[in-house]
Structures are given as structure tokens and as C-alpha cells.
Amino acid sequence: MREAAFIKQNMKRWNGYEKLLKQQHGLDPDTKAEIFIQLTDDLSFSRTQYPNSESTRYLNSLASQIHLAIYKNKREEKSRFVTFWTHELPTLIHSLYRYLGYAFLIFFVSILIGIISVQKDQTFARLILSDNYVNMTLDNIEKGDPMGVYKHGGEVDMFFAITFNNIKVSFLTFAAGLILSIGTGYLLFQNGLMVGTFFTFLAQHGQINSALSVVMLHGTIELTSIVIAGAAGFRMGHSILFPKTYSRGESFKRGAKDGLKLVMALMPFFIIAGFIESFITRYADMPMMLKIVIIGGSSLLIIYYFFIYPLKFKKAYATLSKD
């Protein structure tokens, strides 16, 4: 890239950083860290391509300013936990929207394939869900309790078992990104296929309303979180395939760090889903209005925190950069 093109492409952003640094008393630590990382990336590129240029000296000066702003009288911020959830994670999520799109697309397409497959082949449900599960569900339907599977076992034991399993699945979905994202895509496809098969099987036996209103009590958060873990896996896999200006090793470290941070942030959501499934889902005969409140509240939590809030936060940050 010619130096003139490099400057033209980035100067607006650098000017924004300069303005932010002049009012740095209003910047949170994570914003400073983000600016520092971006500036050092630009500086590294400039030093390699244009070692003795004015742009390199300018970036070095700008990076030095933000470095001093971060490390001058450095103390561990008491609000670090808060800023992670209110600033750092929303910024990361916004940067991963493309991977979220890939993950949800694969998941929904596989659900559709599951729906069509069960309609075309009556034995498909047994192939995907297993004979034991299908037979147990048919027995429960005959007893008038199609969702009886959620009533077995103690609440506490069930909570720990379900939460641990969901966390394990999320980490496996993320780690499968090491196989150049193919492993993550396969696991998302597998989970979506099971979901489509499960609901279509119950629909064929006249239980779709019961299944949706009961399973989605916990499934709203649980299934969405697994798909989001898939986005983390795609981020890591993409960093291996497309390192851009970084070395492949450095690109992988950045992608793995971003993905792991997102998966770790899903832990509270899996705990919430596990609690609902263990302590609430078993009461399938609860009033429909209560079910709607729980499912609606879960949906709003996921939609707002993972889609609306990161967008609003990033827009606010962009507006501040222009001022």
C-alpha cells in the first residue's frame, strides 16, 4: 500500500483519537486500551512499510500519548468488572456481528433441514434423537405428559448437570474453530438439525404448542448462547485462515483471545438457562401468561445485550470520536 493511501484511509480515525486524548479524563480504561492497540497496530505497519516517514513519527507520538495516559499512576480499577460488561464486551460483540450472522444462518438452515427431513422420512427422528428418546417421549405423550422428561431427578442435581453440559458444549463449539471453522460449523449444524427434528416430531403427534411453550422457557437463552459460542469459534477459525497484515501466529492469538472472552462471558447465561430448566421448566402446567413472561423476558435479554446494546454503544462511541 502506498503511504498516501495508508494516510488517507486512516487519518480521519487518527484525528478522532487526538480529540479523544485531549479530553481523556472522560475515557474509560477499556476505551484507552482499545485505542492503544489500534494505534500500535498502525504504527507497526507504518514502521515496516515507511520506516523514516512523517506518518511513522506522527503515529509514534500519538501512541506514546495514549501509552502515558494508560500507565501513568496505573492502578487496578475497582470498576473493572463493570466496565467489562458495559464497555469491553459490547465492543467485542459488535466487531463479531459478521460471525454471529454466519452462526445463526447455519443454525437456522439446519433447523429447516431437520423439519423437512422428518416430514419426508418417518424414521429420521429415531436416527437423530435415538430410539430410546423417541420411545420415552411417545410413552409420555400416551400418559398425557409429553414434557415429562423435565420432571425427572432432583432440581439441584439437574441444575449442575445441565449447566455443566451446556458449558461443555459451548467450549467444544468454540474449540472446534481450530479446525479452520469447519468443526464449529458442523456442531452448529448438528445442534440445529436436532432442534428441527425434535419440534417436528412432536408436531406430528399434536404436541407442538406444548413443546414450544415448555422447551423455550430455558431454550431461548440456552440455544442462542450455543449459537453465539459458534460465532466465537468462527472468529478463531477465521483468524487462522485470514491473518491479513499479521503473522498467522499473531492473528491466531488475537482471534483465540476474542473468542475465549466471548465464550467466558456466556457462563452467566448458561447458569440462568440451567436454573430455569431445572427449577421452572418442570412445572409445565404453569399459566400460559407466566410462560410468555419468562420466554419474552429471556428473548429481550438476549436481543438487547447481544444485538441492540453493542450497536447503540458503538454509535455513541463513534459520535464521541467525531466531536
Side-chain angles (χ1 to χ4, degrees):
M1 180 187 293
R2 293 179 179 275
E3 185 178 6
F6 175 65
I7 294 173
K8 182 178 179 181
Q9 178 179 311
N10 297 289
M11 183 53 76
K12 186 176 180 180
R13 178 162 54 87
W14 297 337
N15 288 336
Y17 293 159
E18 279 195 274
K19 292 177 182 178
L20 287 172
L21 287 173
K22 290 177 181 178
Q23 51 186 14
Q24 63 176 260
H25 60 277
L27 293 180
D28 62 89
D30 293 302
T31 301
K32 291 179 183 178
E34 181 185 357
I35 293 173
F36 180 68
I37 291 171
Q38 292 175 347
L39 279 176
T40 51
D41 287 344
D42 292 339
L43 178 59
S44 177
F45 180 81
S46 184
R47 278 176 172 167
T48 302
Q49 302 296 325
Y50 333 108
N52 300 313
S53 69
E54 286 297 324
S55 59
T56 299
R57 284 190 282 274
Y58 168 75
L59 286 170
N60 186 65
S61 173
L62 208 55
S64 297
Q65 290 180 52
I66 190 63
H67 182 275
L68 288 173
I70 292 173
Y71 290 98
K72 183 180 179 181
N73 299 322
K74 183 184 177 186
R75 295 193 303 267
E76 185 67 28
E77 294 288 336
K78 294 180 180 178
S79 61
R80 182 68 181 81
F81 179 80
V82 175
T83 56
F84 172 78
W85 292 99
T86 59
H87 294 78
E88 184 176 346
L89 189 58
T91 300
L92 174 62
I93 292 170
H94 185 273
S95 71
L96 301 182
Y97 272 174
R98 175 176 45 168
Y99 306 111
L100 285 169
Y102 297 156
F104 276 100
L105 178 62
I106 292 173
F107 188 70
F108 286 126
V109 168
S110 61
I111 288 177
L112 184 61
I113 292 174
I115 292 172
I116 295 173
S117 298
V118 175
Q119 291 176 338
K120 297 292 185 180
D121 184 356
Q122 295 294 320
T123 65
F124 189 78
R126 292 183 177 276
L127 175 66
I128 300 300
L129 302 176
S130 81
D131 286 329
N132 288 337
Y133 188 86
V134 169
N135 292 335
M136 178 188 66
T137 302
L138 290 174
D139 288 342
N140 287 335
I141 291 174
E142 289 182 8
K143 296 174 184 176
D145 189 13
M147 298 293 104
V149 65
Y150 295 107
K151 299 179 181 179
H152 297 305
E155 290 94 333
V156 176
D157 290 341
M158 189 175 180
F159 167 72
F160 283 108
I162 288 172
T163 302
F164 175 77
N165 181 69
N166 288 338
I167 291 173
K168 181 179 72 173
V169 170
S170 71
F171 271 98
L172 183 61
T173 303
F174 162 62
L178 286 169
I179 313 175
L180 306 180
S181 294
I182 296 173
T184 294
Y186 171 76
L187 290 177
L188 286 174
F189 181 85
Q190 186 181 56
N191 277 277
L193 192 66
M194 290 179 64
V195 171
T197 300
F198 173 76
F199 282 116
T200 308
F201 166 70
L202 287 171
Q204 289 179 334
H205 292 83
Q207 301 297 325
I208 187 61
N209 290 334
S210 175
L212 285 172
S213 64
V214 173
V215 174
M216 295 313 292
L217 288 171
H218 60 272
T220 301
I221 294 177
E222 178 184 302
L223 295 175
T224 307
S225 296
I226 289 174
V227 176
I228 293 171
F234 284 141
R235 169 68 180 101
M236 180 167 63
H238 187 273
S239 71
I240 301 172
L241 288 169
F242 307 103
K244 295 184 179 179
T245 58
Y246 302 108
S247 67
R248 200 170 297 276
E250 179 62 24
S251 177
F252 168 68
K253 285 193 292 185
R254 289 171 178 268
K257 181 180 178 181
D258 286 347
L260 183 59
K261 190 180 294 185
L262 180 58
V263 172
M264 292 298 295
L266 291 172
M267 298 305 103
F269 295 92
F270 282 123
I271 291 171
I272 293 172
F275 177 85
I276 294 174
E277 184 171 357
S278 305
F279 292 91
I280 299 176
T281 301
R282 63 179 56 231
Y283 299 106
D285 55 351
M286 71 179 74
M288 180 57 71
M289 183 54 66
L290 182 56
K291 294 179 182 178
I292 292 174
V293 169
I294 295 173
I295 294 173
S298 299
S299 300
L300 287 174
L301 173 63
I302 293 293
I303 292 172
Y304 181 78
Y305 189 75
F306 286 97
F307 298 95
I308 297 176
Y309 180 67
L311 189 60
K312 290 173 63 177
F313 176 79
K314 203 64 180 178
K315 284 182 178 179
Y317 177 77
T319 301
L320 180 61
S321 299
K322 293 176 183 178
D323 293 339

Short mmCIF file of all heavy atoms in Angstrom, two decimals, residues 9 34 57 68 75 114 148 167 182 186 216 294 305 308-309 317:
data_model
loop_
_atom_site.label_atom_id
_atom_site.label_comp_id
_atom_site.label_asym_id
_atom_site.label_seq_id
_atom_site.Cartn_x
_atom_site.Cartn_y
_atom_site.Cartn_z
N GLN A 9 -6.63 6.58 4.20
CA GLN A 9 -7.53 5.56 4.74
C GLN A 9 -7.73 5.69 6.25
O GLN A 9 -8.81 5.38 6.77
CB GLN A 9 -6.98 4.17 4.41
CG GLN A 9 -7.80 3.01 4.95
CD GLN A 9 -7.18 1.68 4.56
OE1 GLN A 9 -6.84 1.45 3.41
NE2 GLN A 9 -7.03 0.80 5.52
N GLU A 34 -8.26 0.06 23.90
CA GLU A 34 -8.64 -0.23 22.51
C GLU A 34 -7.92 0.72 21.55
O GLU A 34 -7.38 0.29 20.51
CB GLU A 34 -10.15 -0.09 22.34
CG GLU A 34 -10.61 -0.40 20.92
CD GLU A 34 -12.10 -0.14 20.73
OE1 GLU A 34 -12.77 0.22 21.71
OE2 GLU A 34 -12.57 -0.28 19.59
N ARG A 57 6.46 8.84 12.42
CA ARG A 57 6.77 9.69 13.58
C ARG A 57 5.48 10.19 14.24
O ARG A 57 5.39 10.27 15.47
CB ARG A 57 7.66 10.85 13.15
CG ARG A 57 9.11 10.45 12.91
CD ARG A 57 10.00 11.66 12.72
NE ARG A 57 9.86 12.22 11.38
CZ ARG A 57 10.56 11.78 10.33
NH1 ARG A 57 11.45 10.82 10.47
NH2 ARG A 57 10.38 12.35 9.14
N LEU A 68 1.13 6.78 27.86
CA LEU A 68 1.28 7.52 29.11
C LEU A 68 -0.07 7.66 29.82
O LEU A 68 -0.14 7.58 31.06
CB LEU A 68 1.85 8.91 28.83
CG LEU A 68 3.34 8.96 28.45
CD1 LEU A 68 3.72 10.37 28.04
CD2 LEU A 68 4.21 8.47 29.60
N ARG A 75 -3.34 1.99 38.34
CA ARG A 75 -3.93 1.23 39.45
C ARG A 75 -5.00 0.31 38.88
O ARG A 75 -5.62 0.60 37.87
CB ARG A 75 -4.58 2.16 40.48
CG ARG A 75 -3.63 3.07 41.20
CD ARG A 75 -4.32 3.70 42.40
NE ARG A 75 -5.50 4.42 42.01
CZ ARG A 75 -5.51 5.72 41.74
NH1 ARG A 75 -4.39 6.42 41.80
NH2 ARG A 75 -6.63 6.32 41.38
N GLY A 114 -33.86 -30.23 9.26
CA GLY A 114 -34.45 -31.19 10.19
C GLY A 114 -35.96 -31.29 10.02
O GLY A 114 -36.54 -32.38 10.03
N GLY A 148 -42.66 -34.72 30.19
CA GLY A 148 -42.34 -35.34 31.48
C GLY A 148 -40.86 -35.55 31.72
O GLY A 148 -40.42 -35.71 32.86
N ILE A 167 -22.18 -25.70 29.23
CA ILE A 167 -20.87 -25.03 29.18
C ILE A 167 -19.88 -25.87 28.38
O ILE A 167 -19.10 -25.34 27.58
CB ILE A 167 -20.35 -24.77 30.60
CG1 ILE A 167 -21.22 -23.70 31.29
CG2 ILE A 167 -18.89 -24.33 30.58
CD1 ILE A 167 -20.89 -23.48 32.75
N ILE A 182 -14.47 -25.31 10.32
CA ILE A 182 -15.31 -26.40 9.83
C ILE A 182 -15.95 -27.15 11.00
O ILE A 182 -17.14 -27.50 10.96
CB ILE A 182 -14.49 -27.38 8.96
CG1 ILE A 182 -13.99 -26.66 7.71
CG2 ILE A 182 -15.34 -28.59 8.56
CD1 ILE A 182 -13.04 -27.48 6.86
N TYR A 186 -19.93 -27.62 11.76
CA TYR A 186 -20.54 -28.95 11.87
C TYR A 186 -21.35 -29.09 13.16
O TYR A 186 -22.48 -29.61 13.13
CB TYR A 186 -19.44 -30.03 11.84
CG TYR A 186 -19.96 -31.41 12.17
CD1 TYR A 186 -20.68 -32.13 11.22
CD2 TYR A 186 -19.75 -31.97 13.43
CE1 TYR A 186 -21.17 -33.39 11.52
CE2 TYR A 186 -20.24 -33.23 13.73
CZ TYR A 186 -20.96 -33.94 12.78
OH TYR A 186 -21.46 -35.18 13.08
N MET A 216 -38.92 -23.77 25.27
CA MET A 216 -38.34 -22.44 25.07
C MET A 216 -38.25 -21.62 26.35
O MET A 216 -37.69 -20.52 26.34
CB MET A 216 -39.11 -21.67 24.00
CG MET A 216 -39.03 -22.31 22.62
SD MET A 216 -37.34 -22.77 22.11
CE MET A 216 -36.60 -21.14 21.92
N ILE A 294 -41.70 -15.35 30.93
CA ILE A 294 -40.35 -15.91 31.04
C ILE A 294 -39.67 -15.95 29.67
O ILE A 294 -38.52 -15.53 29.51
CB ILE A 294 -40.39 -17.31 31.67
CG1 ILE A 294 -40.89 -17.23 33.11
CG2 ILE A 294 -38.99 -17.96 31.63
CD1 ILE A 294 -41.12 -18.58 33.76
N TYR A 305 -28.90 -7.30 24.89
CA TYR A 305 -27.49 -7.28 25.27
C TYR A 305 -26.57 -7.66 24.12
O TYR A 305 -25.47 -7.09 23.99
CB TYR A 305 -27.22 -8.20 26.46
CG TYR A 305 -25.81 -8.02 26.98
CD1 TYR A 305 -25.48 -6.89 27.73
CD2 TYR A 305 -24.80 -8.91 26.66
CE1 TYR A 305 -24.18 -6.68 28.17
CE2 TYR A 305 -23.50 -8.71 27.10
CZ TYR A 305 -23.20 -7.60 27.85
OH TYR A 305 -21.91 -7.37 28.27
N ILE A 308 -28.75 -5.12 20.36
CA ILE A 308 -29.13 -3.71 20.40
C ILE A 308 -28.09 -2.87 21.15
O ILE A 308 -27.61 -1.85 20.63
CB ILE A 308 -30.52 -3.53 21.06
CG1 ILE A 308 -31.58 -4.23 20.21
CG2 ILE A 308 -30.85 -2.04 21.20
CD1 ILE A 308 -32.96 -4.19 20.80
N TYR A 309 -27.71 -3.29 22.35
CA TYR A 309 -26.78 -2.51 23.16
C TYR A 309 -25.41 -2.32 22.51
O TYR A 309 -24.89 -1.20 22.49
CB TYR A 309 -26.64 -3.12 24.55
CG TYR A 309 -25.70 -2.36 25.45
CD1 TYR A 309 -26.02 -1.07 25.89
CD2 TYR A 309 -24.48 -2.90 25.85
CE1 TYR A 309 -25.16 -0.36 26.71
CE2 TYR A 309 -23.61 -2.20 26.66
CZ TYR A 309 -23.95 -0.92 27.09
OH TYR A 309 -23.09 -0.21 27.89
N TYR A 317 -19.98 5.81 20.72
CA TYR A 317 -18.52 5.94 20.69
C TYR A 317 -18.08 6.65 19.41
O TYR A 317 -17.21 7.52 19.42
CB TYR A 317 -17.88 4.56 20.77
CG TYR A 317 -16.37 4.57 20.66
CD1 TYR A 317 -15.59 4.95 21.74
CD2 TYR A 317 -15.74 4.21 19.47
CE1 TYR A 317 -14.20 4.96 21.64
CE2 TYR A 317 -14.37 4.23 19.37
CZ TYR A 317 -13.60 4.59 20.45
OH TYR A 317 -12.25 4.60 20.35
#
